[in-house]
Amino acid sequence: ITDLTAFFPPNRRDDGSVARHFEDEGMPELTALHAATVAAGQRLAFVREIEAILREANDDDSDDDEDGAQATNLRMAKGARAAMRANKWEEADMVVLVWDGLMQAVNWPTKPEQIEARALRQIQRHSDVLEVLTTEPKSEIALLKHMQQYAHNEIRLTRVFGRMVLELYNADVLSDSAIIFWWTKGAKPEGKSGFLKQTEALVKKLQEEDDDDDDDDDEE
């Protein structure tokens, strides 16, 4: 059952009526189930909205249209902020939904050697919208964990994970501290060893740079 309100009279098909009914009947679990179902539907609808914006702009097939990409990013960012206010979502919740929309809008090629280029191009063109949704460390970590899960489930992107992380670092979406934290103790179990190996060189470089900065501070 995806919509419990369909079982109610037409004049009582709202979330408040559903909640009151099941609370009165001593079945709060159904109230919680309904709330979770509604929330999942809202998240799915937003992901599809992001995908629709990108496909409407034909952004996946355009070349060197920076103005078009910026306009699309601005439209997505405004939509994200509006959805956050309407649904009381946190930034960490929103950034993973935008990521899903970005990836679902890609017209993936059939040749494996072209998949990496297509994924990186999508990130390059739309990193701005991810940047405005990662103003907090919590959001950066949420994005990294979600990317890991996404790459684990989406086999064609499994081998591209490390390059995607590097691209987001270069675009100032992910900070060195967020990447190091994820690598040392924040990674999810799914595909962990392979993803840590892909990002090992980057993390070592970031750690060395942090050590050099600490040494400079000590000298001062």
Side-chain angles (χ1 to χ4, degrees), residues 2 9-10 28 34 52 59 65 70 90 111 134 145 190 203 210 216:
T2 58
H34 176 67
D59 205 69
D65 182 12
Q70 289 303 315
E90 295 184 359
K111 295 181 180 179
T134 48
K145 288 184 175 181
E190 293 83 0
V203 170
D210 284 350
D216 291 340

Side-chain angles (χ1 to χ4, degrees), residues 89-126:
W89 289 336
E90 295 184 359
E91 187 182 83
D93 302 318
M94 175 54 66
V95 71
V96 301
L97 299 179
V98 171
W99 171 267
D100 285 348
L102 291 177
M103 292 296 106
Q104 289 186 27
V106 177
N107 293 323
W108 294 108
T110 55
K111 295 181 180 179
E113 63 272 15
Q114 296 176 345
I115 290 176
E116 179 175 338
R118 190 66 61 87
L120 296 180
R121 181 175 178 276
Q122 186 78 335
I123 291 173
Q124 291 165 356
R125 290 179 64 80
H126 303 298

